[in-house]
Amino acid sequence: MSGVPDDAPSIQPAGVLEGRVLAAVQQLCFPDDRWEADFVETLLGQPGSFGLLAVDEVGAPVGCALARVVGEDAEILTIGVLPQARRGGLGRRLVRAVCGEVERRGATALFLEVAEDNDAARMLYAQSGFAQVGRRPAYYIRREGRVAALVLRHSFPN
Ligand SMILES: CC(C)(COP(=O)(O)OP(=O)(O)OC[C@H]1O[C@@H](n2cnc3c(N)ncnc32)[C@H](O)[C@@H]1OP(=O)(O)O)[C@@H](O)C(=O)NCCC(=O)NCCS
């Protein structure tokens, strides 16, 4: 039968060689906080770091995640879905894929920071089993002023 496969977009590992693609996706997801390709390549080259790239049925990248495991702690460095691919469950699948990979690598806790005014991401993380463990006032600088970062944690196994 033709049509979009059930698991589309597919989520694939991304390393230093995919750094430029990952950076391009990150930039489209975070227009006000764009990461240069060199920076993404450096992050991907660090021990414990890994990337994920979501690719649609014609091979176009539509989402990404970058995370790192240090000992028993892990951290999501960035995660995003292109605007045209949002609200289809891909963000949730990327979070699930990161959780699976960090647990496989031996992490017992996964942390991330999210802007207090980022309702979409906060809902996504709440649904994915993250709980708030901290708050950093005035952490993000915006044109309109500063916004706090919430520190969230997911524990394994839970
Ligand atoms: C946050 C983001 C990754 C969500 O990706 P997505 O593919 O749209 O998310 P999903 O379709 O998997 O949605 C999962 C849940 O997140 C929440 N959510 C997603 N978008 C939302 C929105 N615009 N408003 C409110 N809740 C939203 C919902 O609870 C949703 O569950 P539901 O579909 O059962 O209602 C995406 O909006 C994005 O890339 N934003 C810009 C980058 C960003 O902010 N990244 C996170 C930084 S910490």
Side-chain angles (χ1 to χ4, degrees):
M1 204 168 92
S2 64
V4 179
D6 287 345
D7 63 347
S10 68
I11 296 176
Q12 310 170 355
V16 176
L17 289 178
E18 289 78 31
R20 287 190 176 275
V21 181
L22 215 144
V25 175
Q26 190 278 342
Q27 291 171 7
L28 290 166
C29 292
F30 296 89
D32 297 329
D33 183 19
R34 296 156 52 92
W35 290 3
E36 296 304 325
D38 290 357
F39 177 62
V40 172
E41 286 167 357
T42 300
L43 287 176
L44 285 167
Q46 289 173 349
S49 294
F50 67 92
L52 296 173
L53 207 51
V55 177
D56 73 10
E57 60 279 7
V58 296
V62 287
C64 70
L66 220 163
R68 141 171 92 200
V69 181
V70 180
E72 294 194 341
D73 286 345
E75 182 185 9
I76 293 182
L77 302 172
T78 194
I79 192 159
V81 172
L82 294 191
Q84 65 271 25
R86 289 179 190 163
R87 299 311 312 253
L90 180 55
R92 189 172 15 240
R93 288 178 55 218
L94 279 167
V95 170
R96 206 179 294 148
V98 170
C99 288
E101 181 61 19
V102 303
E103 192 174 12
R104 195 185 67 74
R105 292 177 181 227
T108 57
L110 174 59
F111 294 88
L112 62 84
E113 282 151 4
V114 60
E116 196 167 45
D117 63 355
N118 190 342
D119 293 334
R122 288 183 62 182
M123 289 288 287
L124 167 64
Y125 298 133
Q127 275 189 4
S128 303
F130 286 79
Q132 185 180 333
V133 292
R135 183 176 183 275
R136 299 189 174 130
Y139 188 79
Y140 297 104
I141 303 165
R142 301 264 170 79
R143 266 183 236 107
E144 319 80 54
R146 288 176 174 252
V147 178
L150 306 181
V151 182
L152 309 186
R153 173 189 165 127
H154 187 299
S155 301
F156 306 99
N158 80 351

